Amino acid sequence: MSTYSREFKLEVAAQANTQSSRLLSKQFNVSSRQIRYWCLVFRIHGEHAFLHKQKPYTKEARLEIIQRMECAGWSLTYTSAFFDLSSPGMLSEWFCAYNSGKLTHLKPLRANMPKSAKAKSSKDMTEKELREELEYLRAENAVLKKWNALAQEKQTTKKQK
């Protein structure tokens, strides 16, 4: 779920026509980079911005977005805004997985799996399903470890200042 409501994003993006992103950043306690991204999304989509209609994104949709970005020579930020993604960071993760050949990272999220597949016990699962779940859990574990390391690094940096 997004930290900021759609209405808030629209309001801030509309105010950016008359005020600088730095001023709005201080006023709303949001990074100026985030505000500039919202402005770009708003310029492209107008009142229909921040709807994220395609969510969750299928593997095919992710590949299509990446291929469109490469063909058109667009930046991550512009491509994210064009497709009304919640952030350029999401596209960056997809792009890294695409470039490294790890297309398994572009599989739809487990939340999209049918409930029957989620509720299976390990005894009822095929070897392929068990391997896929193991791969998913390993990837999830790696992400959590990285997130924890980044949080610790941030704490260390704050203490040094």
Side-chain angles (χ1 to χ4, degrees), residues 4-17 24 28 34-35 38-39 41-51 84:
Y4 303 100
S5 70
R6 178 178 182 269
E7 292 75 24
F8 177 75
K9 293 175 185 179
L10 288 170
E11 177 187 334
V12 173
Q15 286 185 26
N17 288 330
L24 291 172
F28 293 109
Q34 185 69 61
I35 291 172
W38 291 345
C39 291
V41 173
F42 183 71
R43 269 183 286 186
I44 294 170
H45 298 283
E47 294 298 320
H48 301 289
F50 313 113
L51 291 175
D84 198 10

PDB file of all heavy atoms in Angstrom, residues 4-17 24 28 34-35 38-39 41-51 84:
ATOM      1  N   TYR A   4       1.292   7.470   0.679  1.00  0.00           N
ATOM      2  CA  TYR A   4       0.508   8.684   0.453  1.00  0.00           C
ATOM      3  C   TYR A   4      -0.726   8.369  -0.375  1.00  0.00           C
ATOM      4  O   TYR A   4      -0.670   7.573  -1.308  1.00  0.00           O
ATOM      5  CB  TYR A   4       1.367   9.730  -0.258  1.00  0.00           C
ATOM      6  CG  TYR A   4       2.628  10.069   0.495  1.00  0.00           C
ATOM      7  CD1 TYR A   4       3.847   9.509   0.123  1.00  0.00           C
ATOM      8  CD2 TYR A   4       2.595  10.915   1.593  1.00  0.00           C
ATOM      9  CE1 TYR A   4       5.008   9.803   0.832  1.00  0.00           C
ATOM     10  CE2 TYR A   4       3.747  11.216   2.295  1.00  0.00           C
ATOM     11  CZ  TYR A   4       4.944  10.654   1.907  1.00  0.00           C
ATOM     12  OH  TYR A   4       6.089  10.941   2.610  1.00  0.00           O
ATOM     13  N   SER A   5      -1.807   9.026  -0.058  1.00  0.00           N
ATOM     14  CA  SER A   5      -3.046   8.804  -0.792  1.00  0.00           C
ATOM     15  C   SER A   5      -2.952   9.439  -2.184  1.00  0.00           C
ATOM     16  O   SER A   5      -2.160  10.348  -2.422  1.00  0.00           O
ATOM     17  CB  SER A   5      -4.228   9.403  -0.036  1.00  0.00           C
ATOM     18  OG  SER A   5      -4.164  10.821  -0.070  1.00  0.00           O
ATOM     19  N   ARG A   6      -3.808   8.958  -3.059  1.00  0.00           N
ATOM     20  CA  ARG A   6      -3.865   9.492  -4.417  1.00  0.00           C
ATOM     21  C   ARG A   6      -4.215  10.974  -4.382  1.00  0.00           C
ATOM     22  O   ARG A   6      -3.638  11.785  -5.105  1.00  0.00           O
ATOM     23  CB  ARG A   6      -4.898   8.710  -5.227  1.00  0.00           C
ATOM     24  CG  ARG A   6      -5.065   9.200  -6.635  1.00  0.00           C
ATOM     25  CD  ARG A   6      -6.067   8.344  -7.422  1.00  0.00           C
ATOM     26  NE  ARG A   6      -6.151   8.830  -8.765  1.00  0.00           N
ATOM     27  CZ  ARG A   6      -7.021   9.755  -9.170  1.00  0.00           C
ATOM     28  NH1 ARG A   6      -7.893  10.262  -8.324  1.00  0.00           N
ATOM     29  NH2 ARG A   6      -7.027  10.169 -10.417  1.00  0.00           N
ATOM     30  N   GLU A   7      -5.149  11.340  -3.525  1.00  0.00           N
ATOM     31  CA  GLU A   7      -5.587  12.730  -3.423  1.00  0.00           C
ATOM     32  C   GLU A   7      -4.434  13.637  -2.992  1.00  0.00           C
ATOM     33  O   GLU A   7      -4.269  14.739  -3.508  1.00  0.00           O
ATOM     34  CB  GLU A   7      -6.753  12.857  -2.427  1.00  0.00           C
ATOM     35  CG  GLU A   7      -8.034  12.198  -2.887  1.00  0.00           C
ATOM     36  CD  GLU A   7      -8.026  10.667  -2.800  1.00  0.00           C
ATOM     37  OE1 GLU A   7      -7.244  10.106  -1.996  1.00  0.00           O
ATOM     38  OE2 GLU A   7      -8.775  10.037  -3.557  1.00  0.00           O
ATOM     39  N   PHE A   8      -3.639  13.151  -2.049  1.00  0.00           N
ATOM     40  CA  PHE A   8      -2.489  13.930  -1.575  1.00  0.00           C
ATOM     41  C   PHE A   8      -1.487  14.148  -2.707  1.00  0.00           C
ATOM     42  O   PHE A   8      -0.994  15.257  -2.919  1.00  0.00           O
ATOM     43  CB  PHE A   8      -1.828  13.222  -0.390  1.00  0.00           C
ATOM     44  CG  PHE A   8      -0.594  13.910   0.122  1.00  0.00           C
ATOM     45  CD1 PHE A   8      -0.683  15.070   0.878  1.00  0.00           C
ATOM     46  CD2 PHE A   8       0.666  13.400  -0.151  1.00  0.00           C
ATOM     47  CE1 PHE A   8       0.449  15.711   1.346  1.00  0.00           C
ATOM     48  CE2 PHE A   8       1.804  14.024   0.313  1.00  0.00           C
ATOM     49  CZ  PHE A   8       1.693  15.182   1.059  1.00  0.00           C
ATOM     50  N   LYS A   9      -1.184  13.078  -3.453  1.00  0.00           N
ATOM     51  CA  LYS A   9      -0.242  13.176  -4.563  1.00  0.00           C
ATOM     52  C   LYS A   9      -0.734  14.172  -5.609  1.00  0.00           C
ATOM     53  O   LYS A   9       0.042  14.987  -6.125  1.00  0.00           O
ATOM     54  CB  LYS A   9      -0.033  11.808  -5.207  1.00  0.00           C
ATOM     55  CG  LYS A   9       0.678  10.810  -4.322  1.00  0.00           C
ATOM     56  CD  LYS A   9       0.717   9.460  -5.008  1.00  0.00           C
ATOM     57  CE  LYS A   9       1.299   8.388  -4.142  1.00  0.00           C
ATOM     58  NZ  LYS A   9       1.317   7.076  -4.806  1.00  0.00           N
ATOM     59  N   LEU A  10      -2.034  14.097  -5.936  1.00  0.00           N
ATOM     60  CA  LEU A  10      -2.606  15.019  -6.913  1.00  0.00           C
ATOM     61  C   LEU A  10      -2.504  16.463  -6.425  1.00  0.00           C
ATOM     62  O   LEU A  10      -2.172  17.377  -7.191  1.00  0.00           O
ATOM     63  CB  LEU A  10      -4.064  14.662  -7.201  1.00  0.00           C
ATOM     64  CG  LEU A  10      -4.298  13.396  -8.031  1.00  0.00           C
ATOM     65  CD1 LEU A  10      -5.774  13.029  -8.039  1.00  0.00           C
ATOM     66  CD2 LEU A  10      -3.776  13.566  -9.443  1.00  0.00           C
ATOM     67  N   GLU A  11      -2.774  16.668  -5.141  1.00  0.00           N
ATOM     68  CA  GLU A  11      -2.715  18.023  -4.575  1.00  0.00           C
ATOM     69  C   GLU A  11      -1.298  18.579  -4.634  1.00  0.00           C
ATOM     70  O   GLU A  11      -1.088  19.714  -5.072  1.00  0.00           O
ATOM     71  CB  GLU A  11      -3.191  17.993  -3.116  1.00  0.00           C
ATOM     72  CG  GLU A  11      -3.109  19.322  -2.417  1.00  0.00           C
ATOM     73  CD  GLU A  11      -3.422  19.219  -0.935  1.00  0.00           C
ATOM     74  OE1 GLU A  11      -4.149  18.303  -0.537  1.00  0.00           O
ATOM     75  OE2 GLU A  11      -2.923  20.070  -0.174  1.00  0.00           O
ATOM     76  N   VAL A  12      -0.335  17.785  -4.234  1.00  0.00           N
ATOM     77  CA  VAL A  12       1.062  18.235  -4.243  1.00  0.00           C
ATOM     78  C   VAL A  12       1.525  18.490  -5.673  1.00  0.00           C
ATOM     79  O   VAL A  12       2.171  19.508  -5.950  1.00  0.00           O
ATOM     80  CB  VAL A  12       1.974  17.215  -3.533  1.00  0.00           C
ATOM     81  CG1 VAL A  12       3.437  17.584  -3.695  1.00  0.00           C
ATOM     82  CG2 VAL A  12       1.617  17.112  -2.051  1.00  0.00           C
ATOM     83  N   ALA A  13       1.189  17.585  -6.599  1.00  0.00           N
ATOM     84  CA  ALA A  13       1.596  17.754  -7.999  1.00  0.00           C
ATOM     85  C   ALA A  13       0.970  19.008  -8.599  1.00  0.00           C
ATOM     86  O   ALA A  13       1.628  19.728  -9.365  1.00  0.00           O
ATOM     87  CB  ALA A  13       1.205  16.525  -8.811  1.00  0.00           C
ATOM     88  N   ALA A  14      -0.258  19.298  -8.251  1.00  0.00           N
ATOM     89  CA  ALA A  14      -0.919  20.502  -8.765  1.00  0.00           C
ATOM     90  C   ALA A  14      -0.265  21.767  -8.201  1.00  0.00           C
ATOM     91  O   ALA A  14      -0.096  22.756  -8.909  1.00  0.00           O
ATOM     92  CB  ALA A  14      -2.404  20.470  -8.414  1.00  0.00           C
ATOM     93  N   GLN A  15       0.125  21.728  -6.932  1.00  0.00           N
ATOM     94  CA  GLN A  15       0.775  22.891  -6.315  1.00  0.00           C
ATOM     95  C   GLN A  15       2.166  23.129  -6.883  1.00  0.00           C
ATOM     96  O   GLN A  15       2.680  24.244  -6.823  1.00  0.00           O
ATOM     97  CB  GLN A  15       0.866  22.715  -4.795  1.00  0.00           C
ATOM     98  CG  GLN A  15      -0.449  22.882  -4.086  1.00  0.00           C
ATOM     99  CD  GLN A  15      -0.278  22.822  -2.576  1.00  0.00           C
ATOM    100  OE1 GLN A  15       0.790  23.121  -2.054  1.00  0.00           O
ATOM    101  NE2 GLN A  15      -1.343  22.442  -1.889  1.00  0.00           N
ATOM    102  N   ALA A  16       2.763  22.095  -7.446  1.00  0.00           N
ATOM    103  CA  ALA A  16       4.120  22.227  -7.988  1.00  0.00           C
ATOM    104  C   ALA A  16       4.150  23.140  -9.212  1.00  0.00           C
ATOM    105  O   ALA A  16       5.229  23.564  -9.622  1.00  0.00           O
ATOM    106  CB  ALA A  16       4.676  20.851  -8.332  1.00  0.00           C
ATOM    107  N   ASN A  17       3.004  23.453  -9.788  1.00  0.00           N
ATOM    108  CA  ASN A  17       2.961  24.397 -10.910  1.00  0.00           C
ATOM    109  C   ASN A  17       3.308  25.808 -10.457  1.00  0.00           C
ATOM    110  O   ASN A  17       3.767  26.624 -11.243  1.00  0.00           O
ATOM    111  CB  ASN A  17       1.571  24.400 -11.565  1.00  0.00           C
ATOM    112  CG  ASN A  17       1.318  23.137 -12.349  1.00  0.00           C
ATOM    113  OD1 ASN A  17       2.241  22.531 -12.881  1.00  0.00           O
ATOM    114  ND2 ASN A  17       0.074  22.731 -12.406  1.00  0.00           N
ATOM    115  N   LEU A  24       7.889  22.698  -1.442  1.00  0.00           N
ATOM    116  CA  LEU A  24       6.844  21.714  -1.143  1.00  0.00           C
ATOM    117  C   LEU A  24       7.399  20.569  -0.294  1.00  0.00           C
ATOM    118  O   LEU A  24       6.694  20.030   0.558  1.00  0.00           O
ATOM    119  CB  LEU A  24       6.244  21.168  -2.434  1.00  0.00           C
ATOM    120  CG  LEU A  24       5.402  22.152  -3.242  1.00  0.00           C
ATOM    121  CD1 LEU A  24       5.039  21.553  -4.594  1.00  0.00           C
ATOM    122  CD2 LEU A  24       4.147  22.538  -2.483  1.00  0.00           C
ATOM    123  N   PHE A  28       5.487  19.650   3.115  1.00  0.00           N
ATOM    124  CA  PHE A  28       4.781  18.386   3.284  1.00  0.00           C
ATOM    125  C   PHE A  28       5.648  17.255   3.833  1.00  0.00           C
ATOM    126  O   PHE A  28       5.166  16.135   3.998  1.00  0.00           O
ATOM    127  CB  PHE A  28       4.169  17.943   1.952  1.00  0.00           C
ATOM    128  CG  PHE A  28       3.064  18.835   1.477  1.00  0.00           C
ATOM    129  CD1 PHE A  28       3.257  19.663   0.382  1.00  0.00           C
ATOM    130  CD2 PHE A  28       1.843  18.862   2.120  1.00  0.00           C
ATOM    131  CE1 PHE A  28       2.241  20.482  -0.072  1.00  0.00           C
ATOM    132  CE2 PHE A  28       0.816  19.673   1.676  1.00  0.00           C
ATOM    133  CZ  PHE A  28       1.020  20.486   0.578  1.00  0.00           C
ATOM    134  N   GLN A  34      10.740  12.834  -4.926  1.00  0.00           N
ATOM    135  CA  GLN A  34       9.427  12.191  -4.983  1.00  0.00           C
ATOM    136  C   GLN A  34       8.382  13.145  -5.556  1.00  0.00           C
ATOM    137  O   GLN A  34       7.560  12.768  -6.375  1.00  0.00           O
ATOM    138  CB  GLN A  34       9.002  11.721  -3.586  1.00  0.00           C
ATOM    139  CG  GLN A  34       7.700  10.941  -3.568  1.00  0.00           C
ATOM    140  CD  GLN A  34       7.838   9.591  -4.235  1.00  0.00           C
ATOM    141  OE1 GLN A  34       8.618   8.758  -3.807  1.00  0.00           O
ATOM    142  NE2 GLN A  34       7.090   9.373  -5.298  1.00  0.00           N
ATOM    143  N   ILE A  35       8.453  14.395  -5.139  1.00  0.00           N
ATOM    144  CA  ILE A  35       7.508  15.403  -5.638  1.00  0.00           C
ATOM    145  C   ILE A  35       7.693  15.613  -7.138  1.00  0.00           C
ATOM    146  O   ILE A  35       6.710  15.697  -7.885  1.00  0.00           O
ATOM    147  CB  ILE A  35       7.652  16.719  -4.847  1.00  0.00           C
ATOM    148  CG1 ILE A  35       7.154  16.507  -3.414  1.00  0.00           C
ATOM    149  CG2 ILE A  35       6.888  17.852  -5.525  1.00  0.00           C
ATOM    150  CD1 ILE A  35       7.418  17.650  -2.466  1.00  0.00           C
ATOM    151  N   TRP A  38       6.069  12.730  -8.903  1.00  0.00           N
ATOM    152  CA  TRP A  38       4.610  12.882  -8.916  1.00  0.00           C
ATOM    153  C   TRP A  38       4.185  13.913  -9.965  1.00  0.00           C
ATOM    154  O   TRP A  38       3.179  13.738 -10.638  1.00  0.00           O
ATOM    155  CB  TRP A  38       4.096  13.298  -7.551  1.00  0.00           C
ATOM    156  CG  TRP A  38       4.212  12.254  -6.484  1.00  0.00           C
ATOM    157  CD1 TRP A  38       4.453  10.910  -6.650  1.00  0.00           C
ATOM    158  CD2 TRP A  38       4.114  12.458  -5.081  1.00  0.00           C
ATOM    159  NE1 TRP A  38       4.498  10.287  -5.427  1.00  0.00           N
ATOM    160  CE2 TRP A  38       4.294  11.205  -4.446  1.00  0.00           C
ATOM    161  CE3 TRP A  38       3.890  13.574  -4.285  1.00  0.00           C
ATOM    162  CZ2 TRP A  38       4.243  11.054  -3.065  1.00  0.00           C
ATOM    163  CZ3 TRP A  38       3.843  13.414  -2.905  1.00  0.00           C
ATOM    164  CH2 TRP A  38       4.020  12.164  -2.316  1.00  0.00           C
ATOM    165  N   CYS A  39       4.966  14.986 -10.090  1.00  0.00           N
ATOM    166  CA  CYS A  39       4.654  16.020 -11.090  1.00  0.00           C
ATOM    167  C   CYS A  39       4.733  15.454 -12.501  1.00  0.00           C
ATOM    168  O   CYS A  39       3.885  15.762 -13.346  1.00  0.00           O
ATOM    169  CB  CYS A  39       5.602  17.204 -10.955  1.00  0.00           C
ATOM    170  SG  CYS A  39       5.354  18.140  -9.458  1.00  0.00           S
ATOM    171  N   VAL A  41       4.342  12.281 -13.411  1.00  0.00           N
ATOM    172  CA  VAL A  41       3.193  11.386 -13.585  1.00  0.00           C
ATOM    173  C   VAL A  41       1.941  12.214 -13.852  1.00  0.00           C
ATOM    174  O   VAL A  41       1.146  11.907 -14.750  1.00  0.00           O
ATOM    175  CB  VAL A  41       2.991  10.477 -12.356  1.00  0.00           C
ATOM    176  CG1 VAL A  41       1.701   9.677 -12.472  1.00  0.00           C
ATOM    177  CG2 VAL A  41       4.179   9.549 -12.161  1.00  0.00           C
ATOM    178  N   PHE A  42       1.771  13.302 -13.106  1.00  0.00           N
ATOM    179  CA  PHE A  42       0.594  14.159 -13.256  1.00  0.00           C
ATOM    180  C   PHE A  42       0.577  14.841 -14.627  1.00  0.00           C
ATOM    181  O   PHE A  42      -0.466  14.940 -15.261  1.00  0.00           O
ATOM    182  CB  PHE A  42       0.567  15.203 -12.131  1.00  0.00           C
ATOM    183  CG  PHE A  42      -0.650  16.086 -12.146  1.00  0.00           C
ATOM    184  CD1 PHE A  42      -1.894  15.584 -11.808  1.00  0.00           C
ATOM    185  CD2 PHE A  42      -0.545  17.418 -12.491  1.00  0.00           C
ATOM    186  CE1 PHE A  42      -3.016  16.396 -11.810  1.00  0.00           C
ATOM    187  CE2 PHE A  42      -1.651  18.246 -12.501  1.00  0.00           C
ATOM    188  CZ  PHE A  42      -2.895  17.724 -12.158  1.00  0.00           C
ATOM    189  N   ARG A  43       1.750  15.281 -15.108  1.00  0.00           N
ATOM    190  CA  ARG A  43       1.820  15.911 -16.431  1.00  0.00           C
ATOM    191  C   ARG A  43       1.432  14.936 -17.542  1.00  0.00           C
ATOM    192  O   ARG A  43       0.794  15.304 -18.515  1.00  0.00           O
ATOM    193  CB  ARG A  43       3.213  16.453 -16.714  1.00  0.00           C
ATOM    194  CG  ARG A  43       3.389  17.892 -16.281  1.00  0.00           C
ATOM    195  CD  ARG A  43       4.741  18.360 -16.648  1.00  0.00           C
ATOM    196  NE  ARG A  43       5.621  17.698 -15.665  1.00  0.00           N
ATOM    197  CZ  ARG A  43       6.908  17.899 -15.522  1.00  0.00           C
ATOM    198  NH1 ARG A  43       7.529  18.707 -16.307  1.00  0.00           N
ATOM    199  NH2 ARG A  43       7.600  17.285 -14.614  1.00  0.00           N
ATOM    200  N   ILE A  44       1.824  13.678 -17.385  1.00  0.00           N
ATOM    201  CA  ILE A  44       1.532  12.673 -18.409  1.00  0.00           C
ATOM    202  C   ILE A  44       0.078  12.213 -18.356  1.00  0.00           C
ATOM    203  O   ILE A  44      -0.579  12.103 -19.381  1.00  0.00           O
ATOM    204  CB  ILE A  44       2.482  11.457 -18.264  1.00  0.00           C
ATOM    205  CG1 ILE A  44       3.918  11.878 -18.575  1.00  0.00           C
ATOM    206  CG2 ILE A  44       2.042  10.315 -19.177  1.00  0.00           C
ATOM    207  CD1 ILE A  44       4.960  10.825 -18.242  1.00  0.00           C
ATOM    208  N   HIS A  45      -0.432  11.974 -17.157  1.00  0.00           N
ATOM    209  CA  HIS A  45      -1.743  11.347 -17.011  1.00  0.00           C
ATOM    210  C   HIS A  45      -2.852  12.288 -16.536  1.00  0.00           C
ATOM    211  O   HIS A  45      -4.021  11.897 -16.564  1.00  0.00           O
ATOM    212  CB  HIS A  45      -1.659  10.165 -16.039  1.00  0.00           C
ATOM    213  CG  HIS A  45      -0.741   9.092 -16.509  1.00  0.00           C
ATOM    214  ND1 HIS A  45      -1.087   8.194 -17.494  1.00  0.00           N
ATOM    215  CD2 HIS A  45       0.534   8.782 -16.142  1.00  0.00           C
ATOM    216  CE1 HIS A  45      -0.079   7.375 -17.705  1.00  0.00           C
ATOM    217  NE2 HIS A  45       0.921   7.710 -16.902  1.00  0.00           N
ATOM    218  N   GLY A  46      -2.493  13.477 -16.089  1.00  0.00           N
ATOM    219  CA  GLY A  46      -3.505  14.420 -15.622  1.00  0.00           C
ATOM    220  C   GLY A  46      -4.298  13.883 -14.443  1.00  0.00           C
ATOM    221  O   GLY A  46      -3.739  13.259 -13.542  1.00  0.00           O
ATOM    222  N   GLU A  47      -5.602  14.092 -14.456  1.00  0.00           N
ATOM    223  CA  GLU A  47      -6.461  13.671 -13.344  1.00  0.00           C
ATOM    224  C   GLU A  47      -6.551  12.154 -13.194  1.00  0.00           C
ATOM    225  O   GLU A  47      -7.039  11.662 -12.183  1.00  0.00           O
ATOM    226  CB  GLU A  47      -7.870  14.253 -13.522  1.00  0.00           C
ATOM    227  CG  GLU A  47      -7.918  15.764 -13.405  1.00  0.00           C
ATOM    228  CD  GLU A  47      -7.495  16.276 -12.034  1.00  0.00           C
ATOM    229  OE1 GLU A  47      -7.863  15.654 -11.015  1.00  0.00           O
ATOM    230  OE2 GLU A  47      -6.789  17.300 -11.977  1.00  0.00           O
ATOM    231  N   HIS A  48      -6.092  11.414 -14.194  1.00  0.00           N
ATOM    232  CA  HIS A  48      -6.133   9.947 -14.133  1.00  0.00           C
ATOM    233  C   HIS A  48      -4.833   9.364 -13.580  1.00  0.00           C
ATOM    234  O   HIS A  48      -4.632   8.144 -13.658  1.00  0.00           O
ATOM    235  CB  HIS A  48      -6.422   9.366 -15.518  1.00  0.00           C
ATOM    236  CG  HIS A  48      -7.716   9.844 -16.094  1.00  0.00           C
ATOM    237  ND1 HIS A  48      -8.931   9.441 -15.611  1.00  0.00           N
ATOM    238  CD2 HIS A  48      -7.974  10.725 -17.082  1.00  0.00           C
ATOM    239  CE1 HIS A  48      -9.889  10.036 -16.287  1.00  0.00           C
ATOM    240  NE2 HIS A  48      -9.343  10.831 -17.194  1.00  0.00           N
ATOM    241  N   ALA A  49      -3.989  10.204 -13.036  1.00  0.00           N
ATOM    242  CA  ALA A  49      -2.704   9.749 -12.501  1.00  0.00           C
ATOM    243  C   ALA A  49      -2.894   8.996 -11.193  1.00  0.00           C
ATOM    244  O   ALA A  49      -3.889   9.178 -10.494  1.00  0.00           O
ATOM    245  CB  ALA A  49      -1.786  10.954 -12.270  1.00  0.00           C
ATOM    246  N   PHE A  50      -1.932   8.169 -10.875  1.00  0.00           N
ATOM    247  CA  PHE A  50      -1.840   7.433  -9.607  1.00  0.00           C
ATOM    248  C   PHE A  50      -2.971   6.425  -9.413  1.00  0.00           C
ATOM    249  O   PHE A  50      -3.355   6.128  -8.290  1.00  0.00           O
ATOM    250  CB  PHE A  50      -1.784   8.397  -8.412  1.00  0.00           C
ATOM    251  CG  PHE A  50      -0.816   9.519  -8.589  1.00  0.00           C
ATOM    252  CD1 PHE A  50      -1.246  10.823  -8.708  1.00  0.00           C
ATOM    253  CD2 PHE A  50       0.544   9.265  -8.676  1.00  0.00           C
ATOM    254  CE1 PHE A  50      -0.357  11.860  -8.887  1.00  0.00           C
ATOM    255  CE2 PHE A  50       1.449  10.304  -8.853  1.00  0.00           C
ATOM    256  CZ  PHE A  50       1.000  11.602  -8.961  1.00  0.00           C
ATOM    257  N   LEU A  51      -3.469   5.874 -10.495  1.00  0.00           N
ATOM    258  CA  LEU A  51      -4.525   4.870 -10.378  1.00  0.00           C
ATOM    259  C   LEU A  51      -3.969   3.445 -10.345  1.00  0.00           C
ATOM    260  O   LEU A  51      -4.594   2.553  -9.809  1.00  0.00           O
ATOM    261  CB  LEU A  51      -5.532   5.005 -11.534  1.00  0.00           C
ATOM    262  CG  LEU A  51      -6.390   6.259 -11.490  1.00  0.00           C
ATOM    263  CD1 LEU A  51      -7.266   6.349 -12.729  1.00  0.00           C
ATOM    264  CD2 LEU A  51      -7.250   6.277 -10.232  1.00  0.00           C
ATOM    265  N   ASP A  84       2.651   4.801 -15.152  1.00  0.00           N
ATOM    266  CA  ASP A  84       2.005   5.101 -13.872  1.00  0.00           C
ATOM    267  C   ASP A  84       2.347   4.063 -12.804  1.00  0.00           C
ATOM    268  O   ASP A  84       1.490   3.578 -12.081  1.00  0.00           O
ATOM    269  CB  ASP A  84       0.488   5.215 -14.046  1.00  0.00           C
ATOM    270  CG  ASP A  84      -0.180   5.939 -12.892  1.00  0.00           C
ATOM    271  OD1 ASP A  84       0.539   6.527 -12.050  1.00  0.00           O
ATOM    272  OD2 ASP A  84      -1.427   5.917 -12.809  1.00  0.00           O
TER     273      ASP A  84
END
